[in-house]
Amino acid sequence: GAFTIGVQPASYGVRSRPASPSAFSLEESSTALHGRRRKGAKRRTFGKVKLNSDTTSGSAKDISESEVRALFSLWNNALATGDSRIVAKRYAKESILLPTVSDTPRTDFASIKDYFDAFLLKQPSGKILEGDIRIGDGWAQDAGVYEFTMKATGDVVKARYTYTYVFENNSWKIAHHHSSVMPEGIDIATPITEDEVRGLFHLWNDALATEDPDAVAKRYAKEGVLLPTVSDVPRTDYDSIKDYFVNFLQKKPQGVILESNVMIGTNWCQDAGIYEFDLLGDKVKARYSFIYKYEDGEWKIAHHHSSVMPEAQLAGGSSKSEEIQKPIEDDEVRALFQLWNGALATENPDTVAQRYSKTPCLLPTVSDTPRTDYDSIKSYFVDFLQKKPQGEILESYVTSGADWCMDDGIYEFKMGATGDKVKARYSFVYTLEGGEWKIVHHHSSQMPEEIVPKAMLEEAQKAATA
């Protein structure tokens, strides 16, 4: 069927918020999409652009669907020139551009040109994959999905688009252009219960029973992290995780959960507690933390941290026994974030990298590469600190042990260099190292709700129920 502008599926779990005064009214678009004017209705408005003959310097000519689609080709050909001025001239005098990769609405020639100054460096070439065309009196609309090939990098990117054209100075110009990333980039899982979360452990335990390290390694996500009980080396890819289980499976392990604490979010869940293994007749307890993510239609282990029970260390006369026994309060755990945030404020990547442990793992918000040593973590913050970030925790959930603690939740950053505000989900795991709490695991991920155009959602819901 045709691409339809309407309410986003409820399964995305996105909170709606009112559209800004300059946002395109979905009530108006609903009328527009039917290609007729409601009796007694006021003139429709796109931002500042009134869609009637008052805005044009001549009467609009009739236009066919094929001619509307050809207007995209004119814009795409303008991209091919590499000249941002030519692209900006495809837009009407009073137009609005809501770009794919900028939070700033562009509402005049200069700001539209400014956006394409950067975008054209990628040498983009687009094609429409699917679209729906509507035609009215002096206006036309084309909405759907397009795909760009970035010749500079070879990347291929899909996005959703809406073009609204008006007849201005005897030619069709873009009055409204909204481009947004594809929400399908994030799989949305059906709700999962606490019992089902605990059941994910049995899938992993059954994989152990096969004594096949491949079968076990396949239970982990593509970017999974394993911090094993009896190895100091973080395992951050399929081969290294498989390598660990080659040896561990020789003990024919079978586990049972003794204590479990489950947390559930959108597309992720966490199970943390104590499990016990039978290893060729020996019984061994350990603390565990599994973080699962929904990947390719299946729940996989994104983070697995297993550690020996601290009382076993104390019984062995550890020289650190007094240090291990010290409890840490929830507020003290949250205060560890402020130490990291204070390091960001220095704008010194060395200072930030020093907040991480000797065997760290950083999964950053805007990099696909796990950072598992001092140099790679420092390298990440060399670029990130140029934005002058300062963070604030919005929601926090703390779990503490004798020599470890975990803080999961949502934080928000204000980028001092640009004024932008960005929310993300975070997971910090801290460990006591040399008498100081250090970050052993830090996972930061984009908020899924940011993928769906929230400004449209509430108006869409109102239009649907009107």
Side-chain angles (χ1 to χ4, degrees):
F3 180 86
T4 303
I5 293 180
V7 180
Q8 296 292 337
S11 63
Y12 283 114
V14 178
R15 304 187 190 104
S16 62
R17 65 184 181 192
S20 65
S22 64
F24 169 56
S25 166
L26 288 184
E27 180 182 359
E28 293 156 357
S29 74
S30 177
T31 306
L33 290 173
H34 286 86
R36 61 182 177 84
R37 191 188 301 272
R38 291 176 297 169
K39 185 176 180 181
K42 295 181 180 179
R43 292 181 297 190
R44 296 182 295 278
T45 302
F46 272 76
K48 300 177 182 178
V49 182
K50 296 178 180 179
L51 299 183
N52 59 37
S53 59
D54 294 344
T55 62
T56 67
S57 60
S59 298
K61 64 175 183 178
D62 291 336
I63 188 170
S64 67
E65 290 194 5
S66 62
E67 288 171 329
V68 173
R69 180 55 48 79
L71 296 175
F72 170 80
S73 298
L74 293 179
W75 178 81
N76 196 41
N77 291 340
L79 296 183
T81 67
D83 188 336
S84 59
R85 294 170 299 177
I86 295 175
V87 181
K89 287 178 181 178
R90 293 302 314 153
Y91 291 78
K93 292 178 181 177
E94 293 185 343
S95 56
I96 182 167
L97 166 64
L98 303 178
T100 320
V101 292
S102 171
D103 292 341
T104 305
R106 312 299 175 118
T107 57
D108 55 29
F109 181 89
S111 60
I112 291 172
K113 176 184 178 297
D114 174 73
Y115 175 74
F116 286 106
D117 284 341
F119 185 62
L120 292 177
L121 295 175
K122 301 176 183 179
Q123 300 177 28
S125 178
K127 65 178 179 180
I128 289 177
L129 302 182
E130 55 181 294
D132 181 63
I133 291 172
R134 305 298 167 103
I135 300 172
D137 182 11
W139 62 268
Q141 181 173 282
D142 188 355
V145 178
Y146 50 16
E147 181 179 82
F148 289 92
T149 298
M150 308 300 179
K151 295 179 182 177
T153 63
D155 292 338
V156 177
V157 181
K158 286 184 183 179
R160 298 178 298 178
Y161 72 86
T162 300
Y163 291 99
T164 301
Y165 302 99
V166 295
F167 196 68
E168 179 180 280
N169 295 330
N170 294 315
S171 64
W172 289 96
K173 294 294 181 75
I174 303 167
H176 173 78
H177 180 192
H178 187 164
S179 186
S180 62
V181 296
M182 299 292 288
E184 70 187 24
I186 296 181
D187 289 330
I188 303 298
T190 55
I192 188 170
T193 67
E194 290 194 7
D195 286 342
E196 288 172 332
V197 173
R198 294 186 179 97
L200 297 175
F201 169 81
H202 296 296
L203 294 179
W204 178 79
N205 199 40
D206 290 345
L208 296 183
T210 67
E211 300 182 22
D212 181 353
D214 272 306
V216 183
K218 287 176 181 175
R219 293 303 315 151
Y220 291 78
K222 294 174 184 175
E223 295 184 356
V225 175
L226 167 63
L227 304 178
T229 321
V230 292
S231 172
D232 291 341
V233 180
R235 312 298 174 117
T236 59
D237 57 29
Y238 181 87
D239 290 335
S240 60
I241 291 173
K242 175 185 173 182
D243 175 73
Y244 175 74
F245 286 106
V246 167
N247 293 323
F248 185 64
L249 291 179
Q250 293 178 13
K251 302 176 183 179
K252 302 185 183 301
Q254 273 296 279
V256 59
I257 288 178
L258 303 180
E259 299 179 27
S260 169
N261 299 279
V262 171
M263 294 171 57
I264 299 172
T266 301
N267 260 28
W268 67 271
C269 54
Q270 177 176 291
D271 185 3
I274 297 172
Y275 49 16
E276 183 178 72
F277 286 93
D278 185 321
L279 306 174
L280 297 174
D282 292 334
K283 300 283 187 178
V284 179
K285 287 184 182 179
R287 298 177 299 177
Y288 72 86
S289 173
F290 288 101
I291 298 175
Y292 302 96
K293 65 179 290 190
Y294 197 67
E295 181 177 279
D296 298 332
E298 186 177 3
W299 288 100
K300 292 294 184 75
I301 303 166
H303 171 77
H304 179 193
H305 187 167
S306 186
S307 61
V308 296
M309 301 294 288
E311 64 257 27
Q313 293 178 327
L314 296 177
S318 169
S319 60
K320 296 184 179 179
S321 60
E322 185 175 343
E323 173 184 309
I324 292 174
Q325 286 179 313
K326 287 184 179 180
I328 185 169
E329 301 294 332
D330 285 4
D331 287 344
E332 292 175 303
V333 174
R334 294 185 179 98
L336 296 175
F337 169 82
Q338 299 304 331
L339 294 179
W340 179 79
N341 198 40
L344 295 183
T346 67
E347 299 180 22
N348 185 335
D350 274 303
T351 303
V352 182
Q354 288 168 6
R355 292 303 314 152
Y356 292 79
S357 75
K358 294 176 182 177
T359 56
C361 181
L362 166 63
L363 303 179
T365 319
V366 292
S367 171
D368 291 343
T369 306
R371 313 298 174 117
T372 58
D373 57 31
Y374 183 95
D375 289 337
S376 61
I377 290 174
K378 176 184 173 181
S379 172
Y380 174 75
F381 284 106
V382 167
D383 293 326
F384 185 63
L385 291 178
Q386 293 180 13
K387 301 177 183 179
K388 302 184 185 299
Q390 273 296 278
E392 176 187 10
I393 288 178
L394 303 181
E395 298 178 31
S396 170
Y397 303 89
V398 171
T399 306
S400 300
D403 63 341
W404 66 274
C405 53
M406 178 187 291
D407 186 1
D408 300 283
I410 297 171
Y411 51 19
E412 182 179 72
F413 288 92
K414 182 174 182 179
M415 306 303 179
T418 62
D420 291 340
K421 286 190 174 182
V422 181
K423 286 183 183 178
R425 297 179 298 179
Y426 72 87
S427 173
F428 287 100
V429 178
Y430 302 94
T431 186
L432 200 58
E433 182 177 287
E436 185 178 5
W437 290 100
K438 292 294 184 77
I439 303 166
V440 70
H441 175 71
H442 179 193
H443 187 163
S444 186
S445 63
Q446 184 180 4
M447 300 290 289
E449 67 189 32
E450 298 299 334
I451 300 300
V452 181
K454 295 179 288 185
M456 296 177 64
L457 191 57
E458 186 169 276
E459 291 296 327
Q461 291 170 336
K462 288 180 181 178
T465 57

